[in-house]
């Protein structure tokens, strides 16, 4: 049920117009993502049970969520602190980095 909800939200975020005026820079996002690695992993695959995997997530979805943490609209003790000092350009760069990562799924035999 939650997985379907997340999938729907991701699809809706792809249809929303982008408010990003900044030319995103995935390389800059990679450097900025070092602060995210402790929870979300270097590759966007979480190493902690309460942190989501974010590799390959749509950039617009990631931007919206990080901005919601920054504004306090979305609540998480760690993310609210981490997102607070981020500029819109920082957020766009992080979203460009994580959305550009690919995830390969393999099914057991």
């Amino acid at each position: 049920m939650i997985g379907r909800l997340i999938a729907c939200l991701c699809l809706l975020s792809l249809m929303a117009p982008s408010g990003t005026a900044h030319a995103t820079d995935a390389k800059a996002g990679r450097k900025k993502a070092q602060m995210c690695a402790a929870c979300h992993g270097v590759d966007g695959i979480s190493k902690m049970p309460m942190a989501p995997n974010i590799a390959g997530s749509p950039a617009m979805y990631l931007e919206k969520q990080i901005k919601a943490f920054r504004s306090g609209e979305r609540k998480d003790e760690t993310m609210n602190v981490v997102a607070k000092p981020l500029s819109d350009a920082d957020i766009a760069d992080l979203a460009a980095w994580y959305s550009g990562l690919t995830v390969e799924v393999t099914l057991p035999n």
Side-chain angles (χ1 to χ4, degrees), residues 41-78:
V42 174
D43 55 1
I45 304 299
S46 176
K47 308 305 180 221
M48 299 177 65
M50 296 304 290
N53 297 326
I54 56 177
S57 295
M60 287 189 293
Y61 172 78
L62 292 171
E63 285 188 52
K64 182 176 180 177
Q65 298 313 308
I66 297 169
K67 287 178 180 179
F69 284 121
R70 182 180 66 184
S71 72
E73 175 186 342
R74 188 166 175 193
K75 306 285 186 207
D76 179 82
E77 188 176 325
T78 302

Side-chain angles (χ1 to χ4, degrees), residues 18-29 32 59 63 87-97:
S18 175
T20 304
H22 166 77
T24 61
D25 184 348
K27 286 184 181 182
K32 294 170 186 177
E63 285 188 52
S87 68
D88 286 350
D90 292 333
I91 292 170
D93 291 345
L94 285 165
W97 167 248

